[in-house]
mmCIF file of all heavy atoms in Angstrom:
data_model
loop_
_atom_site.group_PDB
_atom_site.id
_atom_site.type_symbol
_atom_site.label_atom_id
_atom_site.label_comp_id
_atom_site.label_asym_id
_atom_site.label_seq_id
_atom_site.Cartn_x
_atom_site.Cartn_y
_atom_site.Cartn_z
ATOM 1 N N GLU A 7 -15.008 -4.055 -15.958
ATOM 2 C CA GLU A 7 -13.982 -4.310 -16.964
ATOM 3 C C GLU A 7 -12.886 -3.261 -16.821
ATOM 4 O O GLU A 7 -13.157 -2.066 -16.695
ATOM 5 C CB GLU A 7 -14.561 -4.270 -18.375
ATOM 6 C CG GLU A 7 -13.531 -4.645 -19.432
ATOM 7 C CD GLU A 7 -14.122 -4.778 -20.825
ATOM 8 O OE1 GLU A 7 -15.333 -4.539 -20.985
ATOM 9 O OE2 GLU A 7 -13.372 -5.112 -21.749
ATOM 10 N N LEU A 8 -11.636 -3.728 -16.825
ATOM 11 C CA LEU A 8 -10.506 -2.852 -16.548
ATOM 12 C C LEU A 8 -9.418 -3.073 -17.598
ATOM 13 O O LEU A 8 -8.951 -4.196 -17.787
ATOM 14 C CB LEU A 8 -9.951 -3.173 -15.156
ATOM 15 C CG LEU A 8 -8.891 -2.256 -14.570
ATOM 16 C CD1 LEU A 8 -9.505 -0.903 -14.200
ATOM 17 C CD2 LEU A 8 -8.257 -2.902 -13.339
ATOM 18 N N PRO A 9 -8.981 -2.038 -18.309
ATOM 19 C CA PRO A 9 -7.882 -2.194 -19.261
ATOM 20 C C PRO A 9 -6.612 -2.639 -18.539
ATOM 21 O O PRO A 9 -6.366 -2.215 -17.397
ATOM 22 C CB PRO A 9 -7.709 -0.787 -19.853
ATOM 23 C CG PRO A 9 -8.957 -0.053 -19.521
ATOM 24 C CD PRO A 9 -9.482 -0.651 -18.250
ATOM 25 N N VAL A 10 -5.788 -3.452 -19.197
ATOM 26 C CA VAL A 10 -4.575 -3.944 -18.534
ATOM 27 C C VAL A 10 -3.626 -2.803 -18.181
ATOM 28 O O VAL A 10 -2.803 -2.932 -17.264
ATOM 29 C CB VAL A 10 -3.849 -5.005 -19.387
ATOM 30 C CG1 VAL A 10 -4.698 -6.248 -19.531
ATOM 31 C CG2 VAL A 10 -3.441 -4.446 -20.736
ATOM 32 N N ALA A 11 -3.735 -1.683 -18.880
ATOM 33 C CA ALA A 11 -2.903 -0.529 -18.541
ATOM 34 C C ALA A 11 -3.187 -0.023 -17.140
ATOM 35 O O ALA A 11 -2.356 0.672 -16.542
ATOM 36 C CB ALA A 11 -3.127 0.596 -19.552
ATOM 37 N N ARG A 12 -4.351 -0.377 -16.567
ATOM 38 C CA ARG A 12 -4.732 0.107 -15.245
ATOM 39 C C ARG A 12 -4.754 -1.013 -14.195
ATOM 40 O O ARG A 12 -5.335 -0.856 -13.120
ATOM 41 C CB ARG A 12 -6.104 0.789 -15.322
ATOM 42 C CG ARG A 12 -6.111 2.053 -16.183
ATOM 43 C CD ARG A 12 -7.421 2.805 -16.046
ATOM 44 N NE ARG A 12 -7.667 3.145 -14.645
ATOM 45 C CZ ARG A 12 -8.806 2.854 -13.994
ATOM 46 N NH1 ARG A 12 -9.788 2.198 -14.608
ATOM 47 N NH2 ARG A 12 -8.965 3.211 -12.736
ATOM 48 N N LEU A 13 -4.079 -2.109 -14.488
ATOM 49 C CA LEU A 13 -4.050 -3.213 -13.527
ATOM 50 C C LEU A 13 -3.502 -2.786 -12.158
ATOM 51 O O LEU A 13 -3.999 -3.208 -11.114
ATOM 52 C CB LEU A 13 -3.213 -4.373 -14.070
ATOM 53 C CG LEU A 13 -3.939 -5.458 -14.860
ATOM 54 C CD1 LEU A 13 -2.931 -6.418 -15.466
ATOM 55 C CD2 LEU A 13 -4.924 -6.199 -13.973
ATOM 56 N N SER A 14 -2.487 -1.943 -12.176
ATOM 57 C CA SER A 14 -1.874 -1.548 -10.902
ATOM 58 C C SER A 14 -2.813 -0.720 -10.044
ATOM 59 O O SER A 14 -2.582 -0.568 -8.826
ATOM 60 C CB SER A 14 -0.583 -0.770 -11.151
ATOM 61 O OG SER A 14 -0.845 0.428 -11.862
ATOM 62 N N SER A 15 -3.901 -0.170 -10.629
ATOM 63 C CA SER A 15 -4.857 0.607 -9.834
ATOM 64 C C SER A 15 -5.629 -0.273 -8.855
ATOM 65 O O SER A 15 -6.243 0.227 -7.908
ATOM 66 C CB SER A 15 -5.839 1.347 -10.751
ATOM 67 O OG SER A 15 -6.727 0.439 -11.400
ATOM 68 N N ILE A 16 -5.602 -1.586 -9.070
ATOM 69 C CA ILE A 16 -6.330 -2.495 -8.173
ATOM 70 C C ILE A 16 -5.762 -2.414 -6.759
ATOM 71 O O ILE A 16 -6.492 -2.369 -5.773
ATOM 72 C CB ILE A 16 -6.282 -3.940 -8.712
ATOM 73 C CG1 ILE A 16 -7.031 -4.024 -10.054
ATOM 74 C CG2 ILE A 16 -6.871 -4.918 -7.703
ATOM 75 C CD1 ILE A 16 -6.909 -5.368 -10.732
ATOM 76 N N HIS A 17 -4.424 -2.380 -6.658
ATOM 77 C CA HIS A 17 -3.782 -2.264 -5.342
ATOM 78 C C HIS A 17 -3.452 -0.816 -4.999
ATOM 79 O O HIS A 17 -3.430 -0.456 -3.823
ATOM 80 C CB HIS A 17 -2.512 -3.112 -5.297
ATOM 81 C CG HIS A 17 -2.765 -4.569 -5.128
ATOM 82 N ND1 HIS A 17 -2.201 -5.316 -4.125
ATOM 83 C CD2 HIS A 17 -3.528 -5.440 -5.841
ATOM 84 C CE1 HIS A 17 -2.607 -6.577 -4.223
ATOM 85 N NE2 HIS A 17 -3.402 -6.672 -5.255
ATOM 86 N N ASP A 18 -3.140 -0.020 -6.020
ATOM 87 C CA ASP A 18 -2.879 1.412 -5.832
ATOM 88 C C ASP A 18 -1.839 1.650 -4.740
ATOM 89 O O ASP A 18 -2.054 2.410 -3.793
ATOM 90 C CB ASP A 18 -4.187 2.153 -5.506
ATOM 91 C CG ASP A 18 -4.057 3.664 -5.676
ATOM 92 O OD1 ASP A 18 -3.173 4.088 -6.437
ATOM 93 O OD2 ASP A 18 -4.835 4.393 -5.057
ATOM 94 N N GLU A 19 -0.675 1.029 -4.892
ATOM 95 C CA GLU A 19 0.356 1.135 -3.867
ATOM 96 C C GLU A 19 1.107 2.467 -3.973
ATOM 97 O O GLU A 19 1.226 3.037 -5.052
ATOM 98 C CB GLU A 19 1.330 -0.039 -3.997
ATOM 99 C CG GLU A 19 0.665 -1.374 -3.705
ATOM 100 C CD GLU A 19 1.621 -2.538 -3.737
ATOM 101 O OE1 GLU A 19 2.831 -2.320 -3.947
ATOM 102 O OE2 GLU A 19 1.156 -3.683 -3.549
ATOM 103 N N PRO A 20 1.623 2.978 -2.848
ATOM 104 C CA PRO A 20 2.332 4.265 -2.872
ATOM 105 C C PRO A 20 3.628 4.184 -3.663
ATOM 106 O O PRO A 20 4.292 3.144 -3.677
ATOM 107 C CB PRO A 20 2.598 4.546 -1.390
ATOM 108 C CG PRO A 20 2.560 3.205 -0.732
ATOM 109 C CD PRO A 20 1.556 2.401 -1.498
ATOM 110 N N SER A 21 3.985 5.303 -4.295
ATOM 111 C CA SER A 21 5.207 5.341 -5.098
ATOM 112 C C SER A 21 6.323 6.145 -4.436
ATOM 113 O O SER A 21 7.471 6.094 -4.876
ATOM 114 C CB SER A 21 4.914 5.923 -6.480
ATOM 115 O OG SER A 21 4.381 7.231 -6.362
ATOM 116 N N VAL A 22 6.001 6.899 -3.386
ATOM 117 C CA VAL A 22 7.027 7.698 -2.708
ATOM 118 C C VAL A 22 7.860 6.796 -1.811
ATOM 119 O O VAL A 22 7.379 5.767 -1.319
ATOM 120 C CB VAL A 22 6.384 8.828 -1.886
ATOM 121 C CG1 VAL A 22 5.658 9.800 -2.798
ATOM 122 C CG2 VAL A 22 5.416 8.273 -0.839
ATOM 123 N N PRO A 23 9.135 7.131 -1.587
ATOM 124 C CA PRO A 23 9.991 6.302 -0.726
ATOM 125 C C PRO A 23 9.411 6.132 0.670
ATOM 126 O O PRO A 23 8.741 7.030 1.200
ATOM 127 C CB PRO A 23 11.305 7.092 -0.690
ATOM 128 C CG PRO A 23 11.305 7.889 -1.943
ATOM 129 C CD PRO A 23 9.869 8.259 -2.182
ATOM 130 N N VAL A 24 9.657 4.961 1.258
ATOM 131 C CA VAL A 24 9.111 4.640 2.574
ATOM 132 C C VAL A 24 10.187 4.023 3.460
ATOM 133 O O VAL A 24 11.233 3.570 2.988
ATOM 134 C CB VAL A 24 7.929 3.649 2.467
ATOM 135 C CG1 VAL A 24 6.765 4.256 1.731
ATOM 136 C CG2 VAL A 24 8.381 2.341 1.796
ATOM 137 N N LEU A 25 9.910 4.019 4.747
ATOM 138 C CA LEU A 25 10.688 3.265 5.731
ATOM 139 C C LEU A 25 9.727 2.191 6.211
ATOM 140 O O LEU A 25 8.762 2.485 6.921
ATOM 141 C CB LEU A 25 11.109 4.190 6.864
ATOM 142 C CG LEU A 25 12.276 3.770 7.759
ATOM 143 C CD1 LEU A 25 13.557 3.678 6.950
ATOM 144 C CD2 LEU A 25 12.441 4.777 8.890
ATOM 145 N N PHE A 26 9.971 0.932 5.825
ATOM 146 C CA PHE A 26 8.915 -0.074 5.928
ATOM 147 C C PHE A 26 9.485 -1.400 6.385
ATOM 148 O O PHE A 26 10.453 -1.918 5.814
ATOM 149 C CB PHE A 26 8.272 -0.242 4.549
ATOM 150 C CG PHE A 26 6.892 -0.841 4.574
ATOM 151 C CD1 PHE A 26 5.810 -0.109 5.046
ATOM 152 C CD2 PHE A 26 6.672 -2.128 4.121
ATOM 153 C CE1 PHE A 26 4.530 -0.651 5.058
ATOM 154 C CE2 PHE A 26 5.401 -2.684 4.128
ATOM 155 C CZ PHE A 26 4.325 -1.938 4.595
ATOM 156 N N LYS A 27 8.878 -1.955 7.447
ATOM 157 C CA LYS A 27 9.265 -3.273 7.957
ATOM 158 C C LYS A 27 8.208 -4.281 7.539
ATOM 159 O O LYS A 27 7.017 -4.093 7.806
ATOM 160 C CB LYS A 27 9.365 -3.225 9.481
ATOM 161 C CG LYS A 27 9.839 -4.523 10.123
ATOM 162 C CD LYS A 27 11.304 -4.772 9.811
ATOM 163 C CE LYS A 27 11.821 -6.006 10.560
ATOM 164 N NZ LYS A 27 13.239 -6.277 10.245
ATOM 165 N N ALA A 28 8.614 -5.361 6.881
ATOM 166 C CA ALA A 28 7.643 -6.315 6.339
ATOM 167 C C ALA A 28 8.079 -7.747 6.606
ATOM 168 O O ALA A 28 9.247 -8.040 6.876
ATOM 169 C CB ALA A 28 7.464 -6.096 4.841
ATOM 170 N N ARG A 29 7.098 -8.634 6.493
ATOM 171 C CA ARG A 29 7.332 -10.064 6.710
ATOM 172 C C ARG A 29 6.249 -10.828 5.968
ATOM 173 O O ARG A 29 5.157 -10.313 5.744
ATOM 174 C CB ARG A 29 7.262 -10.370 8.214
ATOM 175 C CG ARG A 29 7.470 -11.834 8.572
ATOM 176 C CD ARG A 29 7.541 -12.017 10.066
ATOM 177 N NE ARG A 29 7.573 -13.437 10.422
ATOM 178 C CZ ARG A 29 7.679 -13.880 11.666
ATOM 179 N NH1 ARG A 29 7.772 -13.022 12.688
ATOM 180 N NH2 ARG A 29 7.699 -15.186 11.911
ATOM 181 N N ASN A 30 6.552 -12.072 5.564
ATOM 182 C CA ASN A 30 5.526 -12.892 4.924
ATOM 183 C C ASN A 30 5.643 -14.338 5.372
ATOM 184 O O ASN A 30 6.669 -14.750 5.928
ATOM 185 C CB ASN A 30 5.605 -12.788 3.392
ATOM 186 C CG ASN A 30 6.702 -13.647 2.778
ATOM 187 O OD1 ASN A 30 6.542 -14.855 2.614
ATOM 188 N ND2 ASN A 30 7.828 -13.026 2.423
ATOM 189 N N ALA A 31 4.585 -15.108 5.131
ATOM 190 C CA ALA A 31 4.581 -16.546 5.432
ATOM 191 C C ALA A 31 3.610 -17.234 4.488
ATOM 192 O O ALA A 31 2.554 -16.677 4.148
ATOM 193 C CB ALA A 31 4.184 -16.807 6.875
ATOM 194 N N LEU A 32 3.964 -18.424 4.065
ATOM 195 C CA LEU A 32 3.090 -19.236 3.214
ATOM 196 C C LEU A 32 2.194 -20.104 4.085
ATOM 197 O O LEU A 32 2.646 -20.709 5.060
ATOM 198 C CB LEU A 32 3.923 -20.112 2.278
ATOM 199 C CG LEU A 32 4.732 -19.362 1.220
ATOM 200 C CD1 LEU A 32 5.653 -20.323 0.460
ATOM 201 C CD2 LEU A 32 3.821 -18.632 0.242
ATOM 202 N N LEU A 33 0.922 -20.149 3.704
ATOM 203 C CA LEU A 33 -0.078 -20.860 4.495
ATOM 204 C C LEU A 33 -0.774 -21.929 3.661
ATOM 205 O O LEU A 33 -0.870 -21.814 2.442
ATOM 206 C CB LEU A 33 -1.130 -19.878 5.018
ATOM 207 C CG LEU A 33 -0.624 -18.647 5.781
ATOM 208 C CD1 LEU A 33 -1.795 -17.715 6.093
ATOM 209 C CD2 LEU A 33 0.107 -19.057 7.056
ATOM 210 N N GLY A 34 -1.300 -22.929 4.346
ATOM 211 C CA GLY A 34 -2.130 -23.948 3.710
ATOM 212 C C GLY A 34 -3.590 -23.517 3.737
ATOM 213 O O GLY A 34 -3.908 -22.328 3.807
#
């Protein structure tokens, strides 16, 4: 059980600035 205040801890993504190349695609 996780309080909604801590939802972002599930992914725990970095908060510092980054140089980042990304891409996405939708799949069936």
Side-chain angles (χ1 to χ4, degrees):
E7 185 173 2
L8 188 70
V10 295
R12 295 189 57 232
L13 268 173
S14 62
S15 70
I16 295 174
H17 283 235
D18 196 24
E19 295 184 2
S21 59
V22 296
V24 296
L25 199 63
F26 201 72
K27 183 70 175 179
R29 179 174 173 178
N30 79 79
L32 293 173
L33 307 174

